[in-house]
Amino acid sequence: MAAAAEDQVVPGLYDIDAELYHSDPIPGGSLSSTGIRRLTDCPARFKYLLDHPEPYKPEYEFGTSAHTVILGNGPELVVVDKKRWDTEETKARVAAIRAAGNVPLKAEARQRIDDMAEALTRHPEASDLLTPGSGIAEQSAFWQDDNGIWHRARFDWLRPDDIVDYKTARSVHPDALEKTVYEHGYHQQRDFYRRIAVALGLIRPDASFKLIF
């Protein structure tokens, strides 16, 4: 993070890796979209999770890998083509890949992600939104409101006229997506991200927030 005099963080857009962003580099802490949802749901739970970060979950790697392939920005993806991942040899290899900051994938998972990427190219609106050169991927924004509270957001794909967020989902049936949007608070994320981007002058006030599932 860049800083001004007296170690004051400068609001703006930063090209930093996801690990640094999620560790919250703001001195004293900042609020993310997820953090605000937890805070408004149960302040005590929000405080507990700050003090006790959630353990690593391998299922997050699939979403990270999909973002890397679709957006062209992210950690290196390493296919571990073994039927069993519970042998000592394979567990050691997988651990080494993760320790190096990369993502291990089973062959079938990598194929599924490639199929998703191919399907996206066949969708006129989605492929147009993510046209290479039309935006920048995986950028982190930090902004301080009038009350002195820091907010942070990480944009999947930032365009002059849109914020585009790529989501993996178990189903894209309209009923399933309606439930997913409500459960994960994507409507709240939309308002939160737009507020930060507009305040920093990254997008126009009338710019949209679009989800690709």
Side-chain angles (χ1 to χ4, degrees):
M1 293 289 296
E6 301 180 358
D7 296 325
Q8 294 298 309
V9 179
V10 177
L13 192 68
Y14 292 86
D15 186 12
I16 59 176
D17 62 39
E19 184 177 0
L20 177 57
Y21 169 79
H22 290 297
S23 71
D24 192 358
I26 299 296
S30 62
L31 281 173
S32 66
S33 174
T34 300
I36 285 183
R37 291 197 297 272
R38 289 172 174 168
L39 180 61
T40 54
D41 176 57
C42 178
R45 180 171 180 266
F46 171 74
K47 178 63 167 62
Y48 178 84
L49 290 172
L50 285 180
D51 297 335
H52 305 83
E54 291 183 290
Y56 165 81
K57 294 183 179 180
E59 56 264 32
Y60 291 162
E61 290 182 333
F62 185 83
T64 297
S65 300
H67 276 73
T68 298
V69 172
I70 299 296
L71 303 174
N73 183 297
E76 181 182 350
L77 309 182
V78 182
V79 173
V80 180
D81 195 9
K82 298 288 186 180
K83 291 184 177 180
R84 294 182 56 184
W85 277 32
D86 58 352
T87 66
E88 292 303 317
E89 178 185 359
T90 303
K91 286 194 292 187
R93 184 182 175 193
V94 168
I97 292 170
R98 288 175 177 149
N102 303 318
V103 178
L105 283 175
K106 294 183 177 181
E108 59 267 28
R110 176 59 201 246
Q111 183 60 57
R112 190 159 73 252
I113 291 170
D114 289 342
D115 291 343
M116 290 160 57
E118 183 180 350
L120 190 148
T121 64
R122 296 196 300 269
H123 191 286
E125 184 179 3
S127 59
D128 181 65
L129 286 172
L130 298 180
T131 299
S134 67
I136 47 178
E138 303 291 359
Q139 299 294 299
S140 298
F142 298 87
W143 168 68
Q144 190 175 33
D145 66 21
D146 293 338
N147 295 312
I149 298 172
W150 281 94
H151 302 250
R152 74 181 192 274
R154 188 169 174 86
F155 306 116
D156 284 355
W157 190 251
L158 182 64
R159 296 160 46 105
D161 52 351
D162 298 292
I163 298 171
V164 183
D165 210 67
Y166 181 78
K167 305 288 189 186
T168 53
R170 291 187 177 89
S171 171
V172 292
H173 187 281
D175 292 342
L177 286 184
E178 183 177 354
K179 182 178 180 181
T180 296
V181 168
Y182 177 77
E183 287 185 345
H184 293 284
Y186 292 155
H187 55 300
Q188 183 269 351
Q189 179 192 1
R190 174 199 62 195
D191 295 341
F192 184 79
Y193 275 32
R194 286 191 70 258
R195 184 186 184 197
I196 293 175
V198 170
L200 291 175
L202 302 175
I203 59 173
R204 301 190 308 269
D206 61 343
S208 60
F209 178 90
K210 295 182 177 178
L211 292 169
I212 297 176
F213 288 97

